[in-house]
Amino acid sequence: MNLKELALKLNLSPTTVSRALNGYPEVNAATRERILAAAKRHNYRPNTRAIRLATGRAMAVGHVFPVATKSEIMNPIFADFIAGAGEVYTTNGYDMLLSVVSDAAETQSYHDLKLRGAVDGVIIHAVRSSDDRIKTLLQLGLPFVSHGRATSVDLPYSWVDVNNRRAFLRATEFLLDLAHQRIGLINGKEDLDFALRRRMGYLEALSARAIAQDPALMFTGELTEHAGYLAASTMLALPQPPTAFVCASMLSGMGARRAIEARGLVMGRDVSVIIFDDELSYLRNGEDLPIFTATRSSVRLAGQLAAQMLLDLIADPASAPQNRLLEADLILGQSTGPAPRT
Amino acid sequence: MNLKELALKLNLSPTTVSRALNGYPEVNAATRERILAAAKRHNYRPNTRAIRLATGRAMAVGHVFPVATKSEIMNPIFADFIAGAGEVYTTNGYDMLLSVVSDAAETQSYHDLKLRGAVDGVIIHAVRSSDDRIKTLLQLGLPFVSHGRATSVDLPYSWVDVNNRRAFLRATEFLLDLAHQRIGLINGKEDLDFALRRRMGYLEALSARAIAQDPALMFTGELTEHAGYLAASTMLALPQPPTAFVCASMLSGMGARRAIEARGLVMGRDVSVIIFDDELSYLRNGEDLPIFTATRSSVRLAGQLAAQMLLDLIADPASAPQNRLLEADLILGQSTGPAPRT
DNA sequence: CCTCTGATTTAAACCGCTTTGGCCGATACC
DNA sequence: GGTATCGGCCAAAGCGGTTTAAATCAGAGG
């Protein structure tokens, strides 16, 4: 059942039927009723492909996920971010297009999406401190929102980000207030911007208390349980081991906990741990009471905000870039306590 | 730059240019060369929207992810499955459309995708034992591949699945061979088909050795660390605690491990653990040596296979349903050992 | 030299919708 | 009564490709 057939059945022109369905005013109320009823009765849905060609809009948003050819690690926050963004798209009648491309082909893939007219805008993920995607997209004139900022990119663009620096600043300060002096940092890969900012926050807190930074207490790598375990184990084996850890993810924190317990120590008593909690649906930080003390910010919410921001941008491409900096809550769990007395 | 403009520049008709670019034979070789060169030079990409309307094919595949309104849990295997499937789509020039819908609206969303002509086929996830989506899709005539089978649905359809029953059968047998007598099952939600089959395998192994099943040793719930921890803790607190666990996921296994260690026991010595390892990229079972003894099957591979199967099905909708049953490897890690002597 | 054939190329229809511009009849206004 | 206005509806022209049917051209054959 297409528009023409429906119009024929109603003894009306396709024009009028189209107008009625799209809510244009120049249709008689009675006629509109009749059309709406018929459309429902015949279960009519306008053909998406035709709408897109006719309107010139794709009614779709792209998410390009680079898959690092070497690491092959899919971003674990992916699913929840997508869930958040997807809700917004669905509500607004947009489709979500996912491209999985090798990171070498990523720039090319934006060109393609734009030239093919497959999407009206994109969201970029896993932003690096110096990310050339931003320049590429600006030049391309393809509306986009970045999940995360790029520190070394000084161009106007829209982003949604968490205040990673302040989150780790506060986390570290909190530990310092508990009299911890040696605090280990278990961070993500620091070419990624969020990780860089977290380290800045950590260092800022230390230097505010005139505590020298110790490279042996700073780890950067994948945000996996295994990496967290290794990093924490190594640090705990130091002559002067840390009495606390700041971990960049739930998984790192779980690894740290395992390392702590493997040494016969008790988390929260002998060694404190604070994690960054993205509130991933399948990795909850406890059900009722939080297990880990954590800086918490919902990645799903970030997805919703980014999606909405992008749709606004698409609706009015000339509008000024929007920004949204989310603050992470510091929530108290059972993984932190005063530094043990020596 | 569109087809007409390109044709104008070449002093050719759009028809010829279109033919040349699409590899039709009735174009002079020299002309074709000229066209291809010009297309490359002008960076021409045919407009996806127009192609779709003209050919009647969407050149897109849909993945509908139901988000349970209550649990809100995104499937953790999501990201890796998508990564696998996405590679195949990209290679074949297909787009991947993701719909995130509340599970109540899921059936409706398939209707929509079909009626709107937005996709040529779909892949369904998180299959329930009695899943009405299969019937719906068959009636709709929308090609689909199911990731997982539906036990109580007796209709012909295409699927990719792991031999969950045999995986758990083998895992349980392995533990029985190590003289474990009381083996706890930490399973996923058993309305999901894969979980049901895993329990069948577990029970089959027990009954083959004439070991009575004990409801107190069977847990079913979310595949989270927390749930795994609770389940294992509860079982370990029994008067006759299990000496081994079979866990349905890496996360459950990690929870079990925590429960074991919380009681001052050692995994692999006092209590054995086998997990099902989906080889999720961000949840590796160890880097070099596996931590957990595991039944292993790559969810990413499943994604690739399912995607390829769907594309085949779309290319020839009349073809018979295809099936692919993957066997999980049983790999030896450090989490299992002989049952402790009492 | 004319016709036929096969190789190339083209004109035009079409995919299903939106949208511009126009038409028609009725009401308002002078 | 004549005309400007307006509500309501329609014809037709796109949107940018693909595809069918037909035209053109060159060489072969008679």
Side-chain angles (χ1 to χ4, degrees), chain A residues 2-3 15 18-19 22 24 44:
Chain A
N2 60 25
L3 187 65
T15 309
S18 169
R19 288 226 170 93
N22 289 309
Y24 283 74
Y44 168 75

Side-chain angles (χ1 to χ4, degrees), chain B residues 123 223 238:
Chain B
I123 288 197
L223 291 179
L238 290 172

Side-chain angles (χ1 to χ4, degrees), chain B residues 3 15 18-19 22 24 44 50 54:
Chain B
L3 187 65
T15 309
S18 170
R19 287 222 173 97
N22 289 309
Y24 284 73
Y44 170 74

